Amino acid sequence: MLNEFWYKNAIIYSLDLETFMDGNGDGVGDFAGLTRRLEYLHSLGVDVIWLAPFQPTPNKDNGYDIQDYYGVDDRHGSLGDFAEFMNLANNLGIKVIIDLVINHTSDQHAWFQDARKGEDARYHDWYVWSKEKPEDWDEGVIFPGVQEATWTKDKKAKAYYFHRFYDFQPDLNIGNPKVREEINRIMGFYLSMGVAGFRVDAVPFVLETQEPGTNGNRKIRFEYLEDMRRFLQWRNGSAILLGEANIEPKEAKKYFGDKGGGLHLMFNFFVNQHLFYALATGESQPLADALEETAGIYPTAQWAHFLRNHDELDLGRLTDEQRQKVFDAFGPTKKMQLYERGIRRRLAPMLGNRARIELAYSLMFALPGTPVMRYGDEIGMGDDLSLKEREAVRTPMQWSDEENAGFSSAEAKDLVHPVINEGPYDYQMLNVERQLREEGSLLTWTKRMVRLRKECPEIGYGEWEILKTKVPSVLAMTYRYRSTLVLILHNFAGGPVVIRPKAFNDDPTPLVDLIEPLEIELDEKGGYEIRIGSYGYRWFRLRGVKPVMSTPAKAGK
Ligand code: MG
């Protein structure tokens, strides 16, 4: 049933090979290590692993500076190790999607090294050049305070090249059909190795073309995205594109495509920022508005919802006043902030206590879309603000209380990033091994919520609606799919509240609590009286309607 829409009710787990598990003891995470941890991910209930870039790289931007698209960086193993990993993951029923970083290459890529030789070089037109220094050479930087320009002179080429990101990441010229053919070859290569799709990095910048020698006259060519989608679907009808595009809500439909011919999934950065605003202030209305503003996408398309990722928490789409409130609550010092727009902390230290972490996670699983978890957040890992920029949230996974958190047998000085070994997030107290054995641990709770999300296909497939509750701290949502109805409530305030939704249909059927063994009957006034605790969350399904089943229960007799 609906198998081609598997991405609508999948649990995605994102990780970076480098910091997940080191199998060969050199201090750097690798495929051998990740392969050994597949059972853990399987038992957590993960359906899809999103793997950050693992290809050969000078590694000046966490691997997002690729030197060769068709290989595996030596530090992570070999292409054979990747194939081994793919085989075992697929055997466990876990799909794998990988990063597709095609806005730019590393400046060490052979294409760029050739392109620098001059206009006659074979790969010259694979990049974006200007003979003159563009007037707006320092406009449009992505990393203010760190990145100085978007056009930099290459001495060898005697010309300026365009780089939306760092100067060691020259932009590929997507307007060149040969570049687009090569992107198809890259996708085809990994599809043939069994990946289920791609997380497409920096989509708006991939699609943008511009007048030579200027940052102006930019145009986003959505037809390139449709080309990519068509190629993908020809090769594998169930493969997906998950796009990274931090855009205005009104732009979303173009990325998904009018008829669903664009991205299958796209991260909802807009809702993410308003979600943190709700967590910071206790006000649910801006989040409800953000959900409404991003609604109405093509039925086969879907949003991906997340709490934290490998970057800073970007708050650039909030008003100045809203952003300041989130900074005050979750990133009050300059050291916690980054790029004038975000917070470089992990979820648990920002939220500070278990009740709010549960609230945030429950909300992510309940938002209409596909949830994307971040490695380590399932055990409430902390951050290391002594590391530079975004590396604060990229410390090694804390597996056990053994040396180096069980991540690696290397000497501590050889680790890719130091483990957190002091304070409330010290690996000796906070680790997977311990939480697996503790009934009340965050990990045990998270596993249960993953299972609950899977038991509610209404969230991914259904129609959702926001209920008015007259309680400003509460977000109340219903999800209808076929003949079933799920009601999920979140209270962003630090105090209990009561709400009274009216009956949902003509039958006086009770609401069945999906977390506790309770039911709430319709009262004589024709409504349900529901209490929600401080930072609480409640999940219900309306009793008395047919369960979601595609085949009769008697099948097989
Ligand atoms: Mg290693």
Side-chain angles (χ1 to χ4, degrees):
M1 180 183 74
L2 294 173
N3 193 35
E4 64 269 42
F5 303 123
W6 59 267
Y7 53 90
K8 290 208 151 200
N9 275 312
I11 307 282
I12 303 179
Y13 185 97
S14 79
L15 66 91
D16 189 339
L17 213 50
E18 193 171 79
T19 51
F20 199 63
M21 180 68 204
D22 174 18
N24 66 353
D26 65 352
V28 184
D30 43 44
F31 278 114
L34 172 58
T35 303
R36 277 181 12 212
R37 296 301 186 193
L38 277 170
E39 273 83 6
Y40 165 75
L41 296 174
H42 184 241
S43 80
L44 185 56
V46 167
D47 299 304
V48 184
I49 296 171
W50 155 28
L51 210 51
F54 51 80
Q55 291 88 353
T57 174
N59 206 24
K60 289 163 82 175
D61 180 21
N62 202 36
Y64 284 83
D65 45 335
I66 291 176
Q67 194 173 345
D68 172 11
Y69 287 97
Y70 301 100
V72 170
D73 196 281
D74 285 343
R75 299 175 316 140
H76 301 316
S78 66
L79 209 49
D81 293 328
F82 174 67
E84 223 23 54
F85 156 73
M86 288 300 303
N87 180 50
L88 287 164
N90 289 338
N91 281 351
L92 287 171
I94 297 177
K95 293 182 163 67
V96 178
I97 63 176
I98 66 166
D99 247 284
L100 187 65
V101 187
I102 46 170
N103 177 67
H104 49 260
T105 67
S106 162
D107 59 358
Q108 300 305 305
H109 198 294
W111 302 337
F112 189 69
Q113 289 304 316
D114 177 79
R116 298 174 65 202
K117 289 177 190 160
E119 284 177 19
D120 297 331
R122 180 176 170 193
Y123 292 101
H124 187 77
D125 291 338
W126 285 41
Y127 294 88
V128 183
W129 298 97
S130 173
K131 279 189 182 162
E132 309 300 327
K133 184 175 189 172
E135 279 178 22
D136 47 7
W137 60 277
D138 59 349
E139 286 177 19
V141 298
I142 297 291
F143 306 115
V146 184
Q147 178 191 359
E148 287 173 0
T150 48
W151 289 92
T152 294
K153 184 159 193 178
D154 182 74
K155 284 191 183 127
K156 193 168 171 187
K158 297 190 183 68
Y160 291 81
Y161 63 94
F162 180 68
H163 53 91
R164 174 58 68 193
F165 294 83
Y166 294 111
D167 60 3
F168 53 83
Q169 291 165 320
D171 271 40
L172 281 166
N173 177 13
I174 189 84
N176 183 340
K178 286 185 179 156
V179 170
R180 296 206 299 278
E181 277 172 32
E182 189 67 31
I183 291 169
N184 285 351
R185 267 193 288 277
I186 295 165
M187 290 199 295
F189 177 76
Y190 285 103
L191 288 170
S192 77
M193 308 235 355
V195 307
F198 301 91
R199 177 267 187 190
V200 189
D201 187 51
V203 180
F205 304 117
V206 171
L207 301 180
E208 97 188 342
T209 54
Q210 58 191 330
E211 293 296 304
T214 163
N215 279 331
N217 290 326
R218 282 208 300 279
K219 187 164 163 32
I220 297 195
R221 304 271 183 188
F222 289 100
E223 60 265 34
Y224 296 162
L225 186 58
E226 286 164 18
D227 282 352
M228 278 174 67
R229 165 77 181 251
R230 218 172 292 129
F231 176 85
L232 180 86
Q233 238 71 99
W234 279 336
R235 287 292 168 94
N236 180 345
S238 66
I240 60 153
L241 297 174
L242 161 60
E244 182 209 24
N246 185 348
I247 51 163
E248 291 283 352
K250 62 178 168 17
E251 297 288 309
K253 284 181 188 171
K254 296 183 202 161
Y255 287 85
F256 287 121
D258 287 338
K259 295 189 177 124
L263 299 168
H264 298 76
L265 287 170
M266 180 160 55
F267 289 107
N268 198 328
F269 284 92
F270 195 71
V271 161
N272 176 262
Q273 303 182 24
H274 290 87
L275 180 164
F276 276 95
Y277 178 78
L279 290 168
T281 62
E283 297 167 41
S284 73
Q285 192 58 46
L287 173 59
D289 293 343
L291 286 164
E292 302 278 11
E293 281 180 68
T294 53
I297 57 176
Y298 195 76
T300 58
Q302 179 148 289
W303 290 107
H305 290 293
F306 61 103
L307 294 169
R308 292 291 291 111
N309 59 20
H310 59 292
D311 287 330
E312 80 283 5
L313 167 61
D314 188 335
L315 302 167
R317 301 216 175 266
L318 297 180
T319 65
D320 291 348
E321 195 185 333
Q322 287 175 328
R323 188 181 315 112
Q324 193 55 49
K325 284 184 184 171
V326 183
F327 276 146
D328 291 346
F330 299 142
T333 70
K334 279 283 169 219
K335 198 177 183 183
M336 297 170 177
Q337 300 168 11
L338 193 61
Y339 308 136
E340 301 159 16
R341 64 177 175 234
I343 300 176
R344 58 185 201 109
R345 301 180 77 190
R346 264 199 184 257
L347 186 71
M350 273 197 291
L351 299 181
N353 65 50
R354 175 72 179 264
R356 290 169 97 184
I357 294 170
E358 287 192 14
L359 172 68
Y361 245 124
S362 167
L363 181 65
M364 179 184 78
F365 286 127
L367 288 174
T370 301
V372 184
M373 304 168 67
R374 178 69 182 153
Y375 88 88
D377 281 354
E378 74 271 33
I379 55 170
M381 264 174 60
D383 44 47
D384 182 348
L385 293 172
S386 73
L387 300 178
K388 78 177 174 71
E389 297 174 51
R390 293 170 291 172
E391 288 177 7
V393 298
R394 298 170 180 174
T395 60
M397 183 66 174
Q398 296 175 191
W399 293 106
S400 70
D401 63 2
E402 293 165 273
E403 201 71 7
N404 301 326
F407 160 72
S408 172
S409 59
E411 285 190 47
K413 67 174 174 49
D414 294 327
L415 296 187
V416 61
H417 290 303
V419 293
I420 292 175
N421 58 6
E422 56 180 27
Y425 304 95
D426 186 336
Y427 72 83
Q428 291 168 84
M429 293 302 291
L430 194 154
N431 59 64
V432 169
E433 195 175 84
R434 182 174 178 142
Q435 292 198 17
L436 279 173
R437 295 178 302 206
E438 284 176 353
E439 201 47 48
S441 71
L442 184 62
L443 180 58
T444 303
W445 177 87
T446 306
K447 277 191 182 191
R448 199 172 160 197
M449 290 306 286
V450 167
R451 198 171 66 223
L452 178 58
R453 172 63 181 78
K454 290 179 173 209
E455 287 164 4
C456 297
E458 292 92 340
I459 299 171
Y461 292 149
E463 301 278 324
W464 58 270
E465 197 181 340
I466 294 171
L467 294 187
K468 296 254 180 289
T469 66
K470 297 180 187 156
V471 181
S473 67
V474 171
L475 181 72
M477 298 185 71
T478 59
Y479 312 76
R480 291 169 197 265
Y481 176 60
R482 300 197 168 166
S483 57
T484 69
L485 182 144
V486 165
L487 169 68
I488 306 181
L489 308 159
H490 290 92
N491 174 23
F492 294 95
V497 295
V498 175
I499 68 153
R500 298 171 194 280
K502 293 197 194 90
F504 295 98
N505 58 20
D506 297 338
D507 300 326
T509 48
L511 285 171
V512 179
D513 193 310
L514 299 177
I515 298 175
E516 303 287 336
L518 297 168
E519 290 189 8
I520 298 182
E521 301 283 347
L522 200 67
D523 61 27
E524 58 276 16
K525 289 178 204 152
Y528 300 94
E529 182 173 298
I530 306 175
R531 185 183 178 280
I532 320 170
S534 173
Y535 302 120
Y537 51 90
R538 301 201 65 178
W539 293 48
F540 298 96
R541 184 179 280 113
L542 200 60
R543 162 144 302 168
V545 284
K546 287 179 204 138
V548 180
M549 276 200 185
S550 57
T551 49
K554 279 188 281 185
K557 287 199 174 173

